[in-house]
Structure formats: C-alpha cells, structure tokens
Amino acid sequence: MSEPQTSISQPSHDEFAALLEESLTGAALQEGSVVKGTVVSIEKDVAIIDVGLKTEGRVPLKEFGVPGAPSTLVEGDEVDVYLERVENAAGEAVLSREKARREESWVRLEEKYKNNEKVEGQIFNRVKGGFTVDLDGAVAFLPGSQVDIRPIRDVGPLMNSPQPFQILKMDRRRGNIVVSRRSVLEESRAEKRGEIVARLKEGEVVDGVVKNITDYGAFIDLGGIDGLLHVTDMAWRRVNHPSEIVNVGDTVKVQIIRINPDTQRISLGIKQLEADPWEGIAAKYPVDARFKGTVTNITDYGAFVELEPGVEGLIHVSEMSWTKKNIHPGKIISTSQEVEVQVLEVDPDKRRISLGLKQTQENPWVAFAAAYQPGTEIEGQIRNITEFGLFVGLDGGIDGMVHLSDLDWSKSGEEALKDYKKGDTVKAVVLEADSEKERISLGIKQLAADPFEGAASSDKLGKGARVTCEVTAVKDNGIEAKLLDHDLTTFIRRSDLSRDRSEQRPDRFGVGEKFDAVVTQVDQKTRKISASIKALEIAEEKEAVAQYGSTDSGASLGDILGAALNKAKDADEEPAEADAAADAEEAPKAKAASKAKTKRAAKAAADSESADEASAEE
C-alpha cells in the first residue's frame, strides 16, 4: 500500500517531463489568439471544430465563405480559427473563423500598405457617406468620393464583385481601414492616357463620342481618353449652350487643337474644320457701308448683331440713338430683331466689328443746324432747369441750352433764372448750332436790343454826359440808381455823392428820389456805367467861372458875383409890353429865382479859390 503513494508523491523523471509537456501544451491555447483546428463534423449550418481542448467549438458555415458565395468546407479540413474563450456557459469553446481571417488580413494588409501595393476586395454594403469593403476578412471603409473618377449614380454593378483598391489609411488600434477605388482607376487611366496621348498629334482630325455636356462645353471620348470641346470652339457663330450643337451619345468629327503634355489635357474643336468667315472681312464689310443683321445678344454696354453666320459686330450703347443717352440698349432694340447698321470700324486681328445704329437715321443736330441759322427765332418748352441755365426742347427730340448770361440784359443770371419754371414755353434766338459737338446755344435776352450798346454808341451817354437818375437802393458805400432816359443802372460811390464832405451821406437820399449826375466812365467789357454828383457840381462851377471871368484875369470874386447877379436880373425882367397882372404874378417868382441864382453865384465865387484843390483831389 505504501509503494503507490511513494510513486505519486515522488514521480520519476520521465513522468515529470510528460506532465510538464502536457502543461505547456495547454498553456499555448490562450484566449485571444489564432489557433489551428480540425473540422470534426458539419451539422446544418454549423461546423464542429476541434482545437485540442476538452470540448469542441461551433462556428457558423457562413464565416468560411465569401460574401455572395456558399461555403466549400468539408469534414477533415484543417482551418485557422480565433479562440475567443476556452469554455463558455455551455462548456463549449468559443471560436470564430471571421476574426481569425481578420487577424490574418491585418498582418497581410499592413505589409501591402507599407509597400504601397494594391489589394483586392468586394463592396458588400452601403453605409452613411460611402460603402464597406471586405478585404478577405478585414472590413474597410470606401468613401463615396473614392468610388470612381466621376460621380456615379448606380453602384449596383460594383457590388459583390472583386475590385482592386488602394489603402489610404490604416489604424490597427481603432480597427479602421480606408480604401480608394478612384486612385486605382486614375493610375490606370494615366497609363492609358499616356499611351493614347503619345499617338495623338495637334491638328489631327479624329472621331469621338459625346460623353458629357456642361454649360461651358462637352467632353468627347477619344477611345479611352477624354478631350474638351469648348463652347467657343463648336461654331464660328455665337453658341449659347453646347446642346445646340451636340447631344450625349453623338459621334462627332473633331480636330485636336492643343495637347498639354504635363496635364495630358486635350482641347478639341469643330469650327476649325470649316472655313473661317473672318478671312477677308475688311473687304467684305467696308467702313461706312450699311448692312442688315439680327440682334443676337443684348448687354448693358451694347448689343451684338450677327451679319452672317460666324460674324458678329457690336453696337455700342453710345451709337444707338442721337438723342437717347444713358439708356439701356434693351429699351431701344430687342433680341432677334432685324436692324440696319453702319460699319464704323473693322479690326481683323482682334476679330471685332464696330457698328452704328443711329448713323442709319437722320441726324437731328445736322437737320436743325441746316434749318435754323444763327439769329433765327425759335419757340420751345423748358425741359430742365440747372444751376447754369435752361434746357429748351427743340424739333427732332433735341435740346438747346440758354446760359445764365443769355437770360437778361440787366438782371444777373441767378436773379433772372427765378423767373422761369419747368414746362414754360419760351421764345429764344439761335446763337450757335454745332452738330459735331451736338450742342445748340440759345439766347433769350437777344430777343431785345442791347440797351447798353444802344446807349453807349449814342452821344447822349458818353463820358461827361449829364443824366437824370432815380434812386433804386441805398447802401452804406453808395447808392444804386437807374438812368431814366436809357433804362440802365449805375452805382454812385459815397465819395461821389457830393463835393462837400459833410454831404457825402447815402442816407440823405431816398428810394425814388431823382437827381442829376455826370457820366464819368463807360466800360464796354464789364458793361458798367459810372456816374458822379460831385463831378457835376465841379463842372457847373467851372462853367460859371468860365462864363463870368476868373480871379486870374484880374476880376475879383465880387466882380464875378456881380456879373452873375446882373445877368440873372436881366433874364428875370419881362418886356414892357407884358400885361401888368402877369408882371405882378410873376414878380415874386422872378425875385425868388434871382435870389437863388445870386446865392449860387456867391457860393461859386466863394469856392473859386478851392477849385484847384477840388480838381487836384478829383
């Protein structure tokens, strides 16, 4: 009985080695690792797999197949499975073929990602923002923008079919893989484009199929490579949209205009296959010649007119109407309207033709200048009033301007402008009509003679002439007065109001008071007349001295006054034959007049000594 116990408690060397090997073998099967197993049996849709544990594990058959294909697993097959748990609540090992494949795929994909190699996978599901791809067990994300070179609406043909992909990003810790199908296609297309571009030459005419149409042109498939047929290269005439020339699916003959070797972009053209209508354009459309055309397009700055297919000219807005300025061209002409135009300029190099519409119509400025010579009297309605004059409507829809200076002879322009309002009908005289500058000058004051010219040219208003004036305004520095006989105005300065300094006060005059003065200056340029009361007094004194003598001739002041009194007395005496009653009635008046003249003569004699001073001062 004691020997068995001794053998158990003290095992031999061989028994200990066997126990150790058995212990190490069990430790190798650890949870979370990939282990090899053998298919023991297949029950319905589950495979029973023995991995060397106390119990077998059960794995669904769908994990052994690929999406869209049935499983080919049979009994006895040896497979790699992922050991999730050694034993679950049912006493079975928890195994997974999918996770095993994923672990294997990650190792393989990381190697390909490092070497920038392509991988093969299948798109099997649609998710937000893209699709999921099975990379032989590992699930990757395919963004919608990376499915194809151009956006595609139907991805059905690509589902569950093997496709090449390029790994863009891998994160093993997060289990994230991002792949792209577009980069594979671009690389393949680049290789193919390079071969095709090498065969094509500029100027070559080839056939292509319209693949896509945009607002700016159409993409033509040249057999594996696309070329752009721009809308401006579709026809010599104006093309509003490419669909006017081509449709998707049409086979067209195009010419290769340009090939960019760096970007491998190909520019195509159809109009280059036809004759250029601009050749010899200057001889076909000479300047000043008139043609008919159709309005094809209207812009803010003018309108385009098609003279023939492929040849268009521009009518600038300034060449549309003689009278309508700053107006949108659409208010003068309309699209598709047939108009007659005149060629103004032709530039074959820039392929431009300048046209004029108003030149085909009568020029109202020329017609007015021919019908109304300067000096002709016209009548029109005031269309506008500005700070510098009036605009009067004339025949032909044109305007003439009356400047401020041509409104009135005597009033200032600003003052005369207040007498007019918009809509009034006025008469005026044509002063100048310039058809080239499109300017007509009118005058209203010219309807009457210039009072200044008439007065200045007469002997009555020369320098030294005596005039009768009426006070119109009293100011601090003088008085304004009107010349009664000449309908002119003058301004008398304070110093010219009297010879006596004490009388040089403007306030001693009242508005409406009349007085006599002497014209001292007539200025033709400034149209001003200067008058003086002081000069009149000095002139009267000199006249009295010259008539009755002077102190220089030996006559005393009393002699001069006596002679003046005697002459005044003789002038006041009536003939003896006059009626006595009349003498009695006129005697007081004559006596009063005699006394006034006597006083005036006495004053003149008394001031004779200072006459020279007054002259010097003047």
Side-chain angles (χ1 to χ4, degrees):
M1 296 294 294
S2 60
E3 289 181 4
Q5 294 178 356
T6 302
S7 62
I8 294 174
S9 60
Q10 296 180 357
S12 63
H13 182 272
D14 294 338
E15 291 175 341
F16 180 80
L19 291 173
L20 179 62
E21 183 179 356
E22 183 180 355
S23 174
L24 292 175
T25 302
L29 299 178
Q30 301 214 359
E31 295 180 353
S33 62
V34 178
V35 297
K36 287 188 177 296
T38 304
V39 179
V40 178
S41 64
I42 297 177
E43 298 178 358
K44 294 183 180 180
D45 56 351
V46 176
I48 309 301
I49 300 176
D50 179 16
V51 293
L53 296 175
K54 292 187 296 182
T55 58
E56 293 86 4
R58 303 167 67 86
V59 179
L61 286 177
K62 63 180 182 180
E63 293 188 11
F64 293 92
V66 295
S71 173
T72 58
L73 191 67
V74 295
E75 292 183 8
D77 288 348
E78 190 176 86
V79 293
D80 291 332
V81 291
Y82 184 82
L83 179 60
E84 296 186 47
R85 294 180 64 183
V86 174
E87 186 177 0
N88 60 6
E92 297 179 347
V94 181
L95 307 175
S96 172
R97 172 57 185 165
E98 184 176 340
K99 291 184 177 181
R101 290 175 55 194
R102 188 178 303 169
E103 288 294 322
E104 294 173 358
S105 296
W106 269 96
V107 175
R108 186 173 63 258
L109 293 175
E110 285 178 342
E111 187 68 22
K112 290 183 177 291
Y113 178 61
K114 290 180 182 179
N115 298 331
N116 198 26
E117 297 179 6
K118 300 180 184 61
V119 297
E120 189 173 277
Q122 296 183 19
I123 303 173
F124 67 91
N125 192 20
R126 181 189 292 270
V127 295
K128 183 178 180 181
F131 305 88
T132 52
V133 180
D134 178 18
L135 300 179
D136 193 20
V139 179
F141 174 66
L142 173 64
S145 60
Q146 298 295 324
V147 176
D148 206 324
I149 297 174
R150 294 187 181 88
I152 56 177
R153 296 181 180 179
D154 186 14
V155 203
L158 301 178
M159 299 289 286
N160 299 320
S161 79
Q163 301 284 337
F165 296 94
Q166 185 77 38
I167 299 176
L168 302 180
K169 180 182 177 182
M170 287 190 71
D171 190 341
R172 188 180 184 91
R173 184 174 60 86
R174 296 183 178 181
N176 184 20
I177 304 176
V178 180
V179 296
S180 171
R181 180 174 175 269
R182 175 179 177 176
S183 59
V184 177
L185 297 178
E186 286 179 345
E187 183 179 349
S188 175
R189 187 183 68 167
E191 296 176 357
K192 192 173 183 180
R193 284 172 65 95
E195 297 176 359
I196 298 175
V197 169
R199 296 198 308 263
L200 299 176
K201 296 180 181 179
E202 293 185 1
E204 183 180 358
V205 179
V206 296
D207 292 331
V209 178
V210 180
K211 189 175 182 180
N212 189 24
I213 293 178
T214 65
D215 292 336
Y216 55 86
F219 288 94
I220 310 298
D221 185 2
L222 303 178
I225 187 172
D226 293 346
L228 175 61
L229 174 61
H230 199 268
V231 65
T232 57
D233 292 315
M234 289 185 173
W236 292 108
R237 64 178 178 86
R238 178 184 296 273
V239 179
N240 296 320
H241 194 271
S243 58
E244 298 177 7
I245 306 297
V246 295
N247 297 311
V248 176
D250 290 351
T251 300
V252 293
K253 191 177 291 294
V254 294
Q255 182 177 355
I256 299 176
I257 302 174
R258 187 168 47 257
I259 299 176
N260 190 326
D262 297 330
T263 60
Q264 293 186 347
R265 291 181 178 177
I266 302 174
S267 298
L268 307 174
I270 293 180
K271 72 178 185 181
Q272 287 76 8
L273 301 176
E274 303 174 355
D276 187 356
W278 284 85
E279 292 182 2
I281 198 72
K284 191 183 300 183
Y285 296 97
V287 176
D288 294 334
R290 296 185 179 183
F291 301 91
K292 288 186 177 181
T294 304
V295 179
T296 58
N297 190 26
I298 296 177
T299 65
D300 292 337
Y301 54 86
F304 289 92
V305 176
E306 185 181 53
L307 300 175
E308 65 175 79
V311 178
E312 285 186 346
L314 172 65
I315 307 175
H316 194 266
V317 64
S318 61
E319 304 295 342
M320 287 194 168
S321 175
W322 293 109
T323 57
K324 297 178 181 178
K325 308 295 183 181
N326 300 324
I327 189 172
H328 193 274
K331 296 184 178 180
I332 300 177
I333 56 178
S334 58
T335 307
S336 302
Q337 179 182 348
E338 186 178 27
V339 293
E340 185 180 15
V341 293
Q342 181 172 318
V343 179
L344 304 180
E345 183 183 359
V346 179
D347 190 339
D349 296 333
K350 294 182 179 180
R351 306 172 79 87
R352 294 178 181 175
I353 299 179
S354 297
L355 304 175
L357 180 64
K358 69 181 183 181
Q359 287 77 5
T360 62
Q361 305 165 0
E362 183 183 17
N363 188 343
W365 302 95
V366 175
F368 184 90
Y372 299 92
Q373 297 297 321
T376 306
E377 185 176 326
I378 57 96
E379 183 176 324
Q381 193 177 49
I382 298 177
R383 291 187 177 178
N384 193 19
I385 299 178
T386 65
E387 59 182 6
F388 50 84
L390 307 175
F391 284 92
V392 180
L394 305 174
D395 295 341
I398 60 178
D399 291 344
M401 190 189 77
V402 183
H403 195 265
L404 289 178
S405 59
D406 293 317
L407 289 175
D408 196 283
W409 288 113
S410 56
K411 295 181 181 179
S412 64
E414 291 76 7
E415 184 180 357
L417 195 63
K418 298 177 181 179
D419 298 336
Y420 301 92
K421 62 180 181 296
K422 189 175 180 180
D424 289 350
T425 300
V426 295
K427 291 184 179 181
V429 174
V430 178
L431 303 180
E432 182 185 7
D434 192 335
S435 58
E436 293 184 359
K437 295 181 179 180
E438 297 184 354
R439 184 173 58 193
I440 297 174
S441 298
L442 305 176
I444 293 179
K445 72 180 184 180
Q446 286 79 4
L447 292 170
D450 185 357
F452 185 88
E453 291 292 338
S457 61
S458 65
D459 297 336
K460 297 180 180 179
L461 202 60
K463 184 176 180 181
R466 298 189 180 189
V467 292
T468 301
C469 307
E470 182 181 345
V471 179
T472 57
V474 179
K475 299 185 177 181
D476 294 338
N477 58 341
I479 60 173
E480 291 182 357
K482 179 180 180 181
L483 279 63
L484 295 180
D485 297 336
H486 304 285
D487 195 23
L488 297 174
T489 59
T490 184
F491 181 78
I492 301 177
R493 298 176 299 173
R494 185 187 188 101
S495 60
D496 288 325
L497 292 177
S498 177
R499 179 176 176 178
D500 191 353
R501 292 183 181 274
S502 62
E503 296 297 322
Q504 294 177 351
R505 294 178 292 104
D507 57 359
R508 72 186 182 90
F509 293 89
V511 176
E513 183 179 346
K514 297 179 182 178
F515 62 90
D516 292 339
V518 172
V519 176
T520 58
Q521 185 180 7
V522 179
D523 194 335
Q524 297 282 355
K525 292 184 178 180
T526 61
R527 299 175 58 84
K528 290 183 179 180
I529 296 176
S530 300
S532 173
I533 300 175
K534 176 181 177 181
L536 175 62
E537 294 175 351
I538 295 175
E540 287 180 346
E541 177 188 329
K542 289 182 178 180
E543 183 179 351
V545 172
Q547 186 173 1
Y548 300 109
S550 66
T551 56
D552 294 339
S553 62
S556 64
L557 182 59
D559 295 337
I560 295 173
L561 292 175
L565 290 173
N566 290 333
K567 186 170 183 180
K569 182 178 180 181
D570 294 339
D572 292 337
E573 290 181 354
E574 296 294 332
E577 295 80 10
D579 185 30
D583 291 341
E585 183 179 355
E586 294 295 335
K589 295 182 180 180
K591 189 174 183 180
S594 177
K595 289 182 178 180
K597 290 184 179 180
T598 301
K599 289 181 179 180
R600 196 160 55 244
K603 187 177 185 301
D607 293 341
S608 61
E609 294 180 359
S610 60
D612 294 336
E613 293 180 11
S615 300
E617 179 183 352
E618 180 63 23

